[in-house]
Amino acid sequence: MIRIICIGKIKEKYFIDAINEYQKRLSKYTKLEIIELPDFDADINTILKKESELILKHIKDRSYVITLEIEGNELSSIELSKKIDNILNTNSDITFIIGGSYGLSDEVKNISNYKLSFSKMTFPHQLFRVILLEQIYRSYKILNNETYHK
């Protein structure tokens, strides 16, 4: 099972459509759960604390946690597919965590099993959710030796 915990609701229809499309495609390979948590309007420390509390409540005990962090490791699509395959050989599920506008608290970062970065660039969170889903889908296509555009 793949679980994605993310801060903020998707408002734009085109992002919702893309997310729904990748959810449908991924259903052939795995169960997928997307947990949208509310974002907060306060000072940075309060926001990170509230987001952290909500994120931690949704992490299952035996899940392998991958946090999306700018400081994380960068992988190619093939390397990500191998990483997912290796994790699923020993864990029944993977939880990806996408933080809010201010990133992730140290508390969340500290429980991470793996820190992943897609780029040193900053992406809008709504768009990044689509990018993550596409890469997870691509990983399953690679693992199943199925063709997919390059």
Side-chain angles (χ1 to χ4, degrees), residues 52-129:
S52 175
E53 289 168 357
L54 288 175
I55 289 169
L56 293 172
K57 284 181 186 175
H58 286 89
I59 296 174
K60 305 291 185 215
D61 286 338
R62 289 185 239 158
S63 187
Y64 188 96
V65 176
I66 298 176
T67 48
L68 285 299
E69 304 181 36
I70 235 170
E71 313 84 18
N73 302 296
E74 291 185 21
L75 300 175
S76 70
S77 295
I78 291 172
E79 290 169 330
L80 179 61
S81 70
K82 289 177 183 173
K83 180 84 177 158
I84 288 172
D85 191 39
N86 289 336
I87 293 166
L88 292 175
N89 283 330
T90 56
N91 294 72
S92 60
D93 65 85
I94 301 172
T95 299
F96 289 90
I97 301 175
I98 304 171
S101 299
Y102 299 109
L104 296 168
S105 70
D106 288 340
E107 189 176 9
V108 173
K109 289 179 180 183
N110 290 338
I111 58 102
S112 178
N113 297 105
Y114 191 78
K115 296 167 185 355
L116 177 63
S117 174
F118 275 39
S119 171
K120 299 287 183 216
M121 291 185 243
T122 302
F123 297 101
H125 293 273
Q126 301 90 333
L127 176 59
F128 189 75
R129 200 177 310 176

Side-chain angles (χ1 to χ4, degrees), residues 1-15:
M1 166 169 219
I2 302 289
R3 182 176 297 104
I4 300 173
I5 299 173
C6 40
I7 303 296
K9 299 272 186 212
I10 301 290
K11 297 173 185 90
E12 295 85 355
K13 184 180 179 333
Y14 50 91
F15 286 135

